[in-house]
Amino acid sequence: MTLISELTTLLGAGGVLTGTDVTSRAAGVWRADPLDALAIARPRSTSEVAGVLKLCHAEGVSVVTQGGLTGLVHGADATPEQLILSLERMRSIESIDPIQRTATVEAGVTLQALQEAAEEHQLAFPLDLGARGTATVGGNAATNAGGNRVIRYGMMRDMVLGVEAVLADGTVVSSMNHLIKNNAGYDLKQLFLGSEGTLGVITRLVLRLREAPSSQNVAFVAFADFPSVPRMLKRVDRELGGALSAYEVLWKNFYRLVTEAPASNQPPLAADYPYYALIEAQGNNDKIDKQRFEEVLEGALEDGDIVDAVIAQSSTERQKLWSIRDDVEQTFRYGPPVVFDVSLPIAAMETYVAKISAALDEQLDKAICWVFGHLGDGNLHIIVQTEAGDAPQSRETIERTIYGPLEKIGGSVSAEHGIGFEKKPYLHLSRSATEIGLMQNLKAALDPQGILNPGKIIDAPQSALR
C-alpha cells in the first residue's frame, strides 16, 4: 500500500485531501498563493495523529502541522513532497472547570470559540489577537503567541497548564496537568510551547482561565516626547493597582496614516504630537474603576506626563479607539509592505527607531517606516513600505537594517510571531551559539530523522532522511 492509501484507511472518508482539494486552499490567511503538498491529513483525535506520524516516520516523509494559518513568518509552509497535518477537525472544547478555572480543549479550537465558551461561565481566556476567529489555540501554543494584553497576563506560555503532544515516531506524551503549581520534575510541556511544530505536534491542552473583568476603561493620550512614554507607563501601572491590561503606543506617522483619508477612523486627538498611546484598564467595579482611571489621567495631565487625552465613554467609543490601533491594513496603501515584529529594551526604542529610519531613508528611495505596538511589554511592530510599492524587492536590505542593531542592545528578532523560515538567518543575533547548539540537540533527540516541520527555526539533524 502507498502512504496515501494507508492514511486513507487510517483516517476514513474526508480524512485525506489530495490534488485540487489541496491546491484550491490558500497557503495562509494573509496570502494569495496556494498550498502545494503531497496531501493534507485531517485526523480527528490524538490517536489518529499518532497513527499519521507513525506511518510518515516509517516512510521518512516530512510533516508540516497547520492550524489557522495566521502566522507571518512562513512557519507552516510546505513543499510538494511533504504531508500537511491539519488539526481543523479537532475542535472540541472538552470541558470547562469553573472551580479550578481551567479549560480542556483540542488543538484545533479557535481562540474566539474558547473565549466565548469561557464567557458563558463568567470566565475569560485573556489571550487576544486580531485573528481570534481563525487562529487556533494549538497554533497559539506552538508559536507562544502574545497579543494585546501580555503586559498583564503574559504570553500563551503563561496560560498553558498541560499539553498532550505526539512525537515524530507517533509516541504520545500526555502531560495534561490541571494544577497551577506542579514542580514534579521537568516541565515537559515547555518543550513544545514555542517550538513551531518542530519537536512534536500539540493535540490537546489544559488552559488557565481567569475571572472575567466587569469593567473596562480605555483612553487615547498624546505625549510631548519619548521619555514621557515609559514614565506614563510606570505611572498608570502603579496607580491603577494592577488593573492595566494594555499599553499600545503609536508613532506619529502611523497615527496619521490610520486617521487621515482614505482611512475611515476619526482622529480623537490632534495629529501633531510625536507619540500616542492607547491605555486600557480592566477591573470589577464600573463606578470606582472609572473614577480612579480618570483621576490617574488628570494627574498625568497636570504633571505634564501627557499633553492631551480622550477617554471612551461607551463600548462603541472603546471599539473606535481600538480600531485606530488595529487598522494595520492602511500600510498596504502603496502595495505589499515588509512587516517586522521585534522586542527590545524600552529605553533603547527612541534611538533604535531613529537609527533604522535614517538608514532606510539612505538605502531606499522614498522609504516609509511605520512604528507601533505593545510597548508596555517591549514589543514593536515595524512596517516598511516605499511609495513605489517595491519594498518586497529590497527585503534583504530592509531585514539587515531592522535586525542588525538588535544584537548590541539585547533585543530579539522575534517578539511574538516565531522564527519559521523567514527569521532563521537572523536567529544568531538573539541566541548564542551554545543556545542554538542545545536547540539542535533537542531536535536530534526528539526528531532524529528531522521529519517535523523541517528547515524551520534551526537546521534538521544530519541524519534526517529528507
Side-chain angles (χ1 to χ4, degrees):
M1 293 178 69
T2 65
L3 175 63
I4 300 300
S5 61
E6 288 181 297
L7 290 171
T8 301
T9 299
L10 172 69
L11 302 179
V16 181
L17 305 181
T18 59
T20 57
D21 287 334
V22 175
T23 56
S24 61
R25 296 186 172 204
V29 171
W30 321 115
R31 296 162 59 181
D33 54 314
L35 284 177
D36 190 8
L38 177 67
I40 299 176
R42 304 165 69 228
R44 290 184 179 273
S45 66
T46 297
S47 62
E48 288 190 356
V49 172
V52 170
L53 289 178
K54 185 175 181 179
L55 288 171
C56 290
H57 187 264
E59 296 290 332
V61 173
S62 296
V63 178
V64 176
T65 305
Q66 294 187 346
L69 291 176
T70 60
L72 297 175
V73 296
H74 297 271
D77 284 11
T79 56
E81 74 278 2
Q82 295 175 337
L83 179 78
I84 290 174
L85 178 61
S86 172
L87 303 185
E88 62 194 67
R89 299 204 295 179
M90 295 179 62
R91 296 189 183 274
S92 172
I93 297 176
E94 297 176 6
S95 66
I96 291 182
D97 184 341
I99 303 299
Q100 192 69 11
R101 291 181 291 188
T102 62
T104 302
V105 302
E106 290 184 317
V109 170
T110 65
L111 176 57
Q112 184 171 336
L114 174 58
Q115 290 172 333
E116 292 173 352
E119 287 172 5
E120 294 178 5
H121 297 268
Q122 290 75 54
L123 296 169
F125 185 66
L127 181 75
D128 194 38
L129 315 165
R132 64 186 69 84
T134 306
T136 64
V137 293
N140 294 153
T143 58
N144 188 30
N148 300 327
R149 299 191 172 103
V150 171
I151 190 173
R152 180 166 177 179
Y153 300 104
M155 304 279 281
M156 182 69 172
R157 187 183 301 279
D158 300 291
M159 305 175 199
V160 179
L161 297 177
V163 301
E164 187 167 84
V166 184
L167 302 184
D169 64 358
T171 299
V172 177
V173 179
S174 189
S175 184
M176 295 290 280
N177 168 66
H178 287 71
L179 305 175
I180 294 174
K181 288 185 173 182
N182 186 345
N183 248 357
Y186 300 147
D187 191 359
L188 296 177
K189 70 175 181 289
Q190 298 297 344
L191 289 171
F192 307 106
L193 303 180
S195 70
E196 301 179 42
T198 61
L199 299 181
V201 177
I202 296 172
T203 56
R204 297 170 67 232
L205 305 99
V206 180
L207 301 170
R208 184 182 181 185
L209 304 178
R210 306 296 181 104
E211 295 297 327
S214 56
S215 74
Q216 184 182 37
N217 288 285
V218 175
F220 213 89
V221 304
F223 303 96
D225 52 36
F226 188 82
S228 300
V229 177
R231 188 165 61 245
M232 184 62 176
L233 169 61
K234 286 179 62 65
R235 180 172 192 147
V236 292
D237 202 10
R238 179 180 63 250
E239 296 185 8
L240 290 175
L244 180 66
S245 53
Y247 194 84
E248 302 288 307
V249 175
L250 292 66
W251 266 241
K252 178 170 65 176
N253 68 341
F254 181 77
Y255 177 74
R256 286 183 170 177
L257 176 76
V258 297
T259 57
E260 295 177 354
S264 60
N265 303 302
Q266 296 300 308
L269 301 174
D272 51 358
Y273 300 109
Y275 305 97
Y276 300 82
L278 183 147
I279 302 172
E280 178 193 79
Q282 295 178 331
N284 61 5
N285 187 304
D286 283 328
K287 183 177 181 180
I288 294 175
D289 294 337
K290 185 174 187 294
Q291 180 179 348
R292 179 188 297 172
F293 191 75
E294 292 174 349
E295 288 174 351
V296 171
L297 292 180
E298 287 171 3
L301 277 167
E302 291 173 2
D303 295 341
D305 286 344
I306 57 177
V307 291
D308 203 356
V310 59
I311 299 175
Q313 299 299 318
S314 66
S315 61
T316 299
E317 291 185 5
R318 288 196 296 269
Q319 290 170 3
K320 287 182 178 179
L321 293 182
W322 268 110
S323 294
I324 293 172
R325 157 60 181 85
D326 291 340
D327 196 8
V328 182
E329 290 185 7
Q330 295 301 324
T331 60
F332 283 77
R333 194 169 294 174
Y334 304 109
V338 182
V339 181
F340 297 90
D341 151 55
V342 299
S343 186
L344 64 155
I346 295 174
M349 288 181 177
E350 182 181 24
T351 301
Y352 168 78
V353 171
K355 181 177 181 177
I356 62 171
S357 297
L360 289 169
D361 281 341
E362 213 173 277
Q363 298 175 69
L364 300 176
D365 183 36
K366 295 184 178 179
I368 309 167
C369 183
W370 288 296
V371 184
F372 63 100
H374 322 296
L375 181 141
D377 52 54
N379 178 192
L380 292 182
H381 295 302
I382 299 167
I383 299 180
V384 180
Q385 184 55 283
T386 58
E387 289 189 11
D390 58 358
Q393 283 70 50
S394 305
R395 185 178 195 98
E396 186 176 345
T397 297
I398 296 170
E399 287 179 344
R400 289 199 306 267
T401 302
I402 300 298
Y403 293 140
L406 293 172
E407 184 176 19
K408 290 184 178 179
I409 60 177
S412 173
V413 299
S414 180
E416 60 180 355
H417 290 162
I419 297 297
F421 274 138
E422 188 174 290
K423 299 186 181 185
K424 182 180 173 183
Y426 304 96
L427 181 61
H428 69 280
L429 298 176
S430 300
R431 296 295 189 191
S432 68
T434 302
E435 289 176 302
I436 293 174
L438 182 55
M439 292 181 196
Q440 290 173 327
N441 288 341
L442 284 170
K443 176 69 171 174
L446 296 180
D447 181 18
Q449 293 187 1
I451 69 167
L452 293 180
N453 215 5
K456 317 295 171 53
I457 306 182
I458 56 172
D459 291 325
Q462 292 299 311
S463 60
L465 294 180
R466 63 170 114 191

